[in-house]
Structure formats: structure tokens, C-alpha cells
Amino acid sequence: MNAPRITICICTYDRYDVLPKAIESAKAQTLDRSLYRIIVVDNSPDHVQAEAFGRPYHEPPFLSYHIEKTPGLSNARNVGSRDCGTEFIAFMDDDAIASPGWLEHLLAGFDRFGEDVAVVGGRVDPIWGTERPTWLGDRMLGYVSVVNWGGETRIAGEKEWLAGTNIAFRTRTVLDAGGFDVSLGRKGGGAALMSNEEVMIVNHLREKGLRSVYAPEASVRHLVERKRLQRSWFRRRVAWQAVSDYTADAQAAIA
């Protein structure tokens, strides 16, 4: 029997309405089940409810459901990275649906470009929670994690960023970097829209001479909720992006 190569890590916070679809898409990968496993890291505040919900989804060693009492998306990602035990770890959001060939295309990105590739990410297509507003132009789609750089699988360009809902790492590079910065990333119900945690670690790896790959066929669909299609949410999102940029690199943000 083959040893698993890659782990899907789904971090969740009180999203039991959408989480089952994410898990089912993870279980439905075309990659042989002996080559991957799934970890759900549940950060929800009601631990009793979390345990009850997770019980049917605990199928070790293929699928494990972890209740994590320390809040924060970055911390949850660090838990998954420490516990996965596989060469690679792929992150998707609890409101995303992975395409069936997602893992196969992620692994192909690592295998094709060699050991100095630390990160592979792919296309993110929107699932609109309501009709896309006319004021939401293409240049603003990055704020709702829509990613489509076009073309074929390649080394990512300097300005081609990857979204946290569709990104995979060589696990040892995450651990060697000290994990995701817990001062960044969302905590709790999203009152503070902090971000940049995956951007920071990708930049750190690039500075060490490691490369990122963009693999458009490694695609996921991601829910854009109705509340995120309101001008008031966008104003908050842009303001918190400025806070995130300053927290990540104050000197560059000021410049």
C-alpha cells in the first residue's frame, strides 16, 4: 500500500451549513485514496457541538476531525501542518468545493518543477451567493478570493498571487518557517478581517530562493456570500487589508 503524499486541510469556524460540501469534495478526489488524507480543524466556539458534528466525519487514518480550542485561522493551519505527516499539505476553505482532479494537478505542479518548488496554487472560481453587483469590477475580484491568471501551469509570476482557499505547500517548508503568523489571518466570526498570512509565508519562501507554481487546472469553487457583495463589507475589507499590510511589513506599507 502506498504512503499518503498529501493532506487536505480544511479549517472551519461555525460553518456547518457549508462544511459538508467541502468535505465531500475532498473525499471525491480522483487521486487514489491511499495517496492522500483529510484533516478538518474545527475552531468553533461550541466544542460540544463541534464534537457532535465531527463524529460522522472521523474515519481514521483517511479522515480525521480535530477540535482546536485556540482560536485563529493561522493557528488552525499550523495545527494541520504539524499533524498531517505528509510531504505536502493543501488548504481549502470550509465554503469551497474542490474540483475532482484538484489534488492530482497540485501534485503534478510539485513533481514537474522540482524540489525548489515550495508552493502550488490554482484557479478559484466564484459561487455567487446572489447576483454579482454591477459595481464589482474585475479589478476588485481579488478581495473575494477570485483567482484566474489564465494560461497553463507555470512558475508563478512575481505579481501572480495565490489564494488561501486553494494553496498547497511542501510541509517541511512551512514548519521550517515557523508556521503561519498568528498575528495575521481571521479569528472567530470575522469581526476583524485580517489577512496576508499565506502571502507572508510565500514571500518568506521566495526570499529563501524557493519557487511558487500556478496550476490553473487545480481549481476550486468558492462561495462569495451575499454579505460580501455589499459596499459596506467591501469598505471594511479594504480597510482591514491596509491593517494587514501594515502588520505584515510596516515600512513597505507606509511607502
Side-chain angles (χ1 to χ4, degrees):
M1 189 174 186
N2 297 318
R5 296 191 67 198
I6 189 167
T7 297
I8 297 174
C9 182
I10 305 172
C11 302
T12 187
Y13 181 94
D14 211 13
R15 297 296 303 280
Y16 302 127
D17 56 334
V18 293
L19 179 58
K21 288 185 178 180
I23 296 175
E24 289 306 313
S25 75
K27 293 172 66 176
Q29 292 296 294
T30 54
L31 186 69
D32 190 288
R33 280 200 175 192
S34 66
L35 295 177
Y36 78 101
R37 58 192 300 250
I38 304 165
I39 294 178
V40 180
V41 183
D42 192 333
N43 228 192
S44 304
D46 187 333
H47 302 140
V48 173
Q49 182 186 27
E51 289 177 6
F53 179 85
R55 208 166 289 126
Y57 294 104
H58 194 60
E59 306 170 24
F62 175 63
L63 170 58
S64 60
Y65 200 98
H66 180 92
I67 310 300
E68 175 54 38
K69 297 181 180 179
T70 301
L73 176 57
S74 289
N75 176 68
R77 286 176 167 171
N78 290 338
V79 168
S81 301
R82 289 194 301 266
D83 291 355
C84 71
T86 53
E87 184 180 3
F88 305 104
I89 184 165
F91 294 99
M92 63 180 283
D93 288 353
D94 54 12
D95 55 359
I97 298 174
S99 62
W102 182 50
L103 288 186
E104 288 200 83
H105 290 295
L106 289 176
L107 286 176
F110 284 110
D111 293 340
R112 175 180 170 186
F113 292 96
E115 287 289 321
D116 66 341
V117 170
V119 187
V120 178
R123 194 176 76 246
V124 181
D125 298 322
I127 303 172
W128 298 111
T130 188
E131 185 177 352
R132 176 180 170 179
T134 56
W135 52 263
L136 181 56
D138 289 349
R139 291 180 63 185
M140 300 171 69
L141 290 177
Y143 288 111
V144 290
S145 300
V146 174
V147 178
N148 188 348
W149 299 114
E152 300 180 349
T153 299
R154 61 186 181 275
I155 297 297
E158 187 174 341
K159 295 185 179 180
E160 291 179 337
W161 54 272
L162 306 172
T165 190
N166 183 1
I167 194 166
F169 293 86
R170 200 174 293 273
T171 308
R172 63 172 171 78
T173 64
V174 173
L175 300 177
D176 290 348
F180 294 88
D181 189 340
V182 295
S183 70
L184 299 169
R186 307 286 165 85
K187 289 184 174 68
L193 299 178
M194 291 291 283
S195 56
N196 280 19
E197 70 277 11
E198 66 274 351
V199 173
M200 283 296 293
I201 203 164
V202 169
N203 288 345
H204 170 79
L205 296 173
R206 280 179 173 171
E207 289 170 2
K208 294 176 69 68
L210 299 172
R211 299 189 294 173
S212 300
V213 165
Y214 174 65
E217 291 183 281
S219 64
V220 306
R221 293 185 295 134
H222 183 242
L223 177 63
V224 183
E225 297 175 275
R226 179 186 294 267
K227 69 179 181 181
R228 297 188 179 194
L229 295 171
Q230 299 174 3
R231 293 175 190 265
S232 57
W233 185 89
F234 259 83
R235 285 193 288 268
R236 289 181 60 236
R237 176 67 180 85
V238 173
W240 277 107
Q241 185 63 51
V243 175
S244 301
D245 291 345
Y246 184 85
T247 303
D249 189 339
Q251 191 170 10
I254 291 170

